Amino acid sequence: DLARRIEHREWTSFLLHNLGITARKQRNYSLSEQYSQESLVLAQKIGIPPIICYILNEYGNLHLDQDLPDLAERDFNEVLANAPEGGQDFVAFAQYGLARVAVINRRLDEARQLGEQSVATLESMGRREAREVKNWLNSLPVNTNKDGEE
């Protein structure tokens, strides 16, 4: 409310984004969608690519939580399309999202490749999210050939 009252559009957008994340984690998907939509519209009006990428990534997570992989894939590809120059973290987040979509679509080799690219980038940047991606990678089933060998 305070950010709105002082008409600080950047903070209003980012705070709405955080409310969207909180609502998603509480499994209140309709409220998360509402906050995320308002946040995205505002971020697009003010034209700040990093905020747009954070919101689009969150939309992807929301759509994965709702078991809507086609929408999630669109969202993560939008992150890639909007990532600012030097925004390797956004690329890595999108790769992780696309890797999770690939698992849903039973494309395990693609999922593993995207996940490995994501974790390598996040680790090189010292980002804490690298641990989450690494744990996810370790949870993937082991690929076996037709003879059952690794």
Side-chain angles (χ1 to χ4, degrees), residues 60-123:
N61 291 326
L62 172 63
H63 288 134
L64 281 176
D65 284 358
Q66 293 175 301
D67 198 27
L68 300 168
D70 292 343
L71 292 178
E73 185 171 26
R74 180 202 64 196
D75 299 328
F76 295 124
N77 280 318
E78 281 291 312
V79 173
L80 292 174
N82 284 279
E85 187 175 327
Q88 299 96 335
D89 50 347
F90 296 117
V91 172
F93 297 150
Q95 288 170 327
Y96 177 44
L98 290 168
R100 291 178 289 157
V101 169
V103 166
I104 292 168
N105 292 322
R106 298 184 178 162
R107 299 185 318 255
L108 288 180
D109 289 339
E110 178 184 345
R112 194 173 311 281
Q113 180 183 15
L114 287 165
E116 288 170 356
Q117 291 171 345
S118 175
V119 78
T121 299
L122 293 170
E123 283 181 337

Side-chain angles (χ1 to χ4, degrees), residues 1-12 42 46:
D1 287 339
L2 180 58
R4 284 181 207 253
R5 278 188 285 182
I6 65 171
E7 298 180 11
H8 199 297
R9 296 181 305 164
E10 182 178 344
W11 272 107
T12 301
L42 189 53
I46 57 180

Side-chain angles (χ1 to χ4, degrees), residues 22-36:
T22 302
R24 178 182 58 83
K25 289 182 177 184
Q26 294 171 339
R27 299 179 192 263
N28 188 339
Y29 300 134
S30 62
L31 186 58
S32 178
E33 174 80 27
Q34 180 183 337
Y35 285 136
S36 296

